[in-house]
């Protein structure tokens, strides 16, 4: 049995290829790990708060020094940190918008990359990511199809998300990518894409 966290960043609901791909990944994982618990975090519904100075200052304080007002400021961050720490497997839905990730996913990332929670530094300055022993599946979709000369899927999404995940200690990252979703007559078998995960 596994704890599976599905993070959604598409505003397209039932029309979303990244959500359908994420659900297909979950379907395969559920077959491999019967009885797994699935938690869904829909960032579009959440509208994660953007960082401001009060949040940043509070996040660098020792817990005993944080005021009640600052605790409230860190509330969303604390909630999603508990979720991702508890998860064994994370499915991270990342549709491409204007060659990058959706703004809600960037806001989410800013809330989970947090000193003392997901990263720490040793006395010699060496950084340690604290979220090891997790597997992340990137469910990435793009309306266009790209070649090696210009590949924003890899350059701006896979590489970007992988760098952040490795920064917080997650090295077991698997990317599943669907391109060309806006082509006329586009069809895809999500289950087939996920068959060998």
């Amino acid at each position: 049995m596994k704890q599976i966290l599905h993070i959604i960043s598409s505003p397209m609901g039932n029309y979303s290829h990244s959500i359908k791909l994420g659900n297909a990944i979950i379907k395969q994982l559920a077959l491999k790990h019967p009885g797994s618990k699935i938690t869904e975090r829909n960032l579009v519904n959440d509208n994660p708060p953007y960082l401001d100075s009060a949040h940043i200052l509070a996040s660098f304080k020792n817990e005993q020094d944080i005021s009640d007002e600052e605790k409230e400021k860190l509330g969303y961050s604390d909630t999603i940190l508990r979720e991702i720490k508890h998860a064994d497997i994370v499915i991270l839905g990342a549709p491409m918008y204007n060659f990058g990730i959706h703004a809600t996913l960037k806001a989410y990332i800013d809330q989970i990359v947090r000193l003392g929670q997901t990263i720490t530094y040793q006395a010699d300055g060496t950084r340690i990511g604290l979220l090891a022993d997790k597997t992340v599946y990137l469910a990435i979709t793009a309306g266009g199809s790209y070649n090696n000369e210009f590949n924003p899927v890899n350059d701006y999404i896979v590489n970007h998300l992988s760098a952040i995940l490795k920064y917080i200690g997650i090295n077991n990252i698997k990317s599943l990518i669907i391109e060309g979703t806006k082509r006329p007559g586009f069809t895809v078998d999500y289950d087939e894409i996920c068959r060998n995960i």
Side-chain angles (χ1 to χ4, degrees):
M1 186 177 89
K2 299 288 184 181
Q3 298 289 333
I4 300 172
L5 174 61
H6 186 194
I7 300 169
I8 292 170
S9 68
S10 170
M12 296 303 292
N14 292 334
Y15 298 99
S16 169
H17 291 285
S18 66
I19 293 175
K20 291 174 183 176
L21 179 57
N23 287 334
I25 295 170
I26 290 170
K27 180 178 174 182
Q28 288 299 316
L29 291 173
L31 292 173
K32 286 175 118 178
H33 309 287
S36 293
K37 182 181 177 186
I38 299 158
T39 301
E40 184 177 282
R41 172 64 60 179
N42 190 317
L43 303 181
V44 176
N45 292 344
D46 278 7
N47 197 21
Y50 296 143
L51 295 185
D52 59 19
S53 59
H55 180 284
I56 293 168
L57 291 171
S59 69
F60 280 94
K61 289 185 177 181
N62 293 322
E63 190 171 347
Q64 64 270 19
D65 299 325
I66 298 175
S67 68
D68 289 342
E69 185 179 343
E70 288 170 327
K71 285 179 183 175
E72 186 176 344
K73 196 71 171 172
L74 294 172
Y76 182 82
S77 177
D78 289 340
T79 297
I80 61 175
L81 281 167
R82 281 192 295 271
E83 279 182 352
I84 198 165
K85 286 177 181 180
H86 193 58
D88 302 301
I89 301 171
V90 178
I91 294 99
L92 182 53
M96 184 170 71
Y97 291 98
N98 301 316
F99 305 139
I101 59 175
H102 194 270
T104 57
L105 181 52
K106 177 60 169 73
Y108 175 89
I109 289 166
D110 289 341
Q111 295 283 343
I112 65 166
V113 179
R114 191 166 140 195
L115 189 65
Q117 296 290 330
T118 53
I119 54 169
T120 191
Y121 287 89
Q122 296 180 314
D124 64 358
T126 304
R127 175 192 49 80
I128 300 174
L130 301 177
L131 295 188
D133 301 323
K134 298 184 188 301
T135 298
V136 173
Y137 291 90
L138 301 178
I140 298 171
T141 57
S145 297
Y146 302 95
N147 56 37
N148 291 331
E149 294 177 9
F150 177 62
N151 194 333
V153 174
N154 284 324
D155 294 344
Y156 308 139
I157 299 183
V158 174
N159 289 341
H160 175 63
L161 292 177
S162 295
I164 290 163
L165 292 167
K166 289 175 183 177
Y167 185 71
I168 60 176
I170 301 171
N171 291 298
N172 191 9
I173 304 163
K174 304 173 188 301
S175 299
L176 287 85
I177 299 168
I178 297 173
E179 293 186 357
T181 62
K182 295 299 183 185
R183 290 196 315 259
F186 173 83
T187 60
V188 63
D189 186 335
Y190 302 99
D191 290 334
E192 185 59 35
I193 290 172
C194 302
R195 188 81 58 202
N196 296 318
I197 66 171

